Amino acid sequence: MDCKKKERILASIVRSFPIYELLQIRIEGRRYPRRRISLQRVGCFDTEEHAKEAMYAYINQMKTQYKLWEIEKGYYTDCLGYYIFEVPVCNKESSFYWNQPPQKCYSFTADGDYNDCVALDEFGWYRGRKTEDIRFKVGDIVEVVDGDFAELAIVGGLPLTAERYHYLEEDEEEEHPSRFIDESDDCYLVYPLSGEEGTHYHPVCYKVFKPTRPLSKGMAERLKSFSLSLTTSMKK
C-alpha cells in the first residue's frame, strides 16, 4: 500500500477516546442557605483512576496550604466538593457519535468522599436507578449545586427506579421510556428554600449533596415549617 493511500484511509477513520476532567466546586459567596459557586478546573487526566488520584493529592495539598495560612477551616469555607467528568475527544465530527452512550459524571465531597454519579447500566445507558442507590427520601433537606449557586432545598420527588423503568418498557399499554428518557432524567424533584411557594426544579442526582454547613436553630425551625407546609400541599 502506497503512503498516500494509507494517509487517505487513516484520515477517513472515525476515532475517539475519553479523558477525565477534574473540577473543584468553589464557594464564592458567604450567604447561606444560597451561595454563589464557580467551577475551577484542576486538570484533565487519561484515566478515571488517575483523575481520582489527582483529586486526593490536590485535597491534601490544599489542606496543608490552609494550615500554613493558619486558617485550617478556610478550606471548607472555600470548597464544597469536586466533579470528575468523562469527556470524549474525537478526531472529527461524525454522526457515528450521535448514538454513543452518555458520559460518566461523578461528584465527591470536599474530603474526596464519593457523593453520587449518573446511574448508567452495564452497557453504559440510563435505564433508571437502583432503589438502594437513591440516597435521599422525600422531605430530606439537601444542598443542590446547580448553575452558579449552591442552595438548600427539600426533596419532593425521587428518581425513576430501574424496576419501574423495566415495568414500563414491558407494558404494552405504556409509552416505552427508552424513547424519551435519557441520563438527564436521573434527577430529584426539589423545592428550593429561597424560591416562592411552588417553585421547583429537577437537579440531576450527582449535583445533590448533604448540607455542607450545620443549620442554626432558627433555620432548622424554618425548614421544619417549610417541610410541613410542603407535605400538607402535596397531600391535597
Side-chain angles (χ1 to χ4, degrees), residues 76-94:
Y76 297 100
T77 302
D78 294 338
C79 177
L80 190 148
Y82 295 87
Y83 290 140
I84 292 178
F85 294 146
E86 182 184 53
V87 181
V89 178
C90 309
N91 68 323
K92 61 169 64 180
E93 193 285 326
S94 173

Side-chain angles (χ1 to χ4, degrees), residues 165-212:
Y165 179 96
H166 291 301
Y167 170 80
L168 295 174
E169 277 289 288
E170 295 170 3
D171 191 333
E172 295 182 358
E173 296 183 2
E174 295 284 351
E175 185 176 4
H176 292 188
S178 60
R179 297 176 184 174
F180 61 90
I181 282 179
D182 60 25
E183 67 278 9
S184 67
D185 294 289
D186 185 33
C187 62
Y188 290 93
L189 162 67
V190 301
Y191 296 87
L193 299 179
S194 60
E196 298 179 0
E197 185 175 350
T199 300
H200 66 278
Y201 59 106
H202 300 267
V204 290
C205 292
Y206 71 84
K207 293 184 177 182
V208 180
F209 293 76
K210 292 180 180 179
T212 55

Side-chain angles (χ1 to χ4, degrees), residues 59 91 104 118 152 163 183 195-196 215:
I59 290 171
N91 68 323
K104 297 176 182 178
V118 176
L152 292 185
E163 182 180 10
E183 67 278 9
E196 298 179 0
L215 303 179

Side-chain angles (χ1 to χ4, degrees), residues 59-71:
I59 290 171
N60 289 332
Q61 178 186 345
M62 287 295 98
K63 287 183 176 181
T64 299
Q65 190 65 57
Y66 275 94
K67 284 182 180 180
L68 292 175
W69 293 336
E70 297 183 351
I71 46 175

Side-chain angles (χ1 to χ4, degrees), residues 101-127:
Q103 307 305 309
K104 297 176 182 178
C105 302
Y106 302 92
S107 61
F108 303 84
T109 69
D111 289 319
D113 296 327
Y114 171 78
N115 181 64
D116 213 332
C117 68
V118 176
L120 305 179
D121 65 12
E122 63 270 29
F123 302 107
W125 294 101
Y126 177 65
R127 299 287 187 262

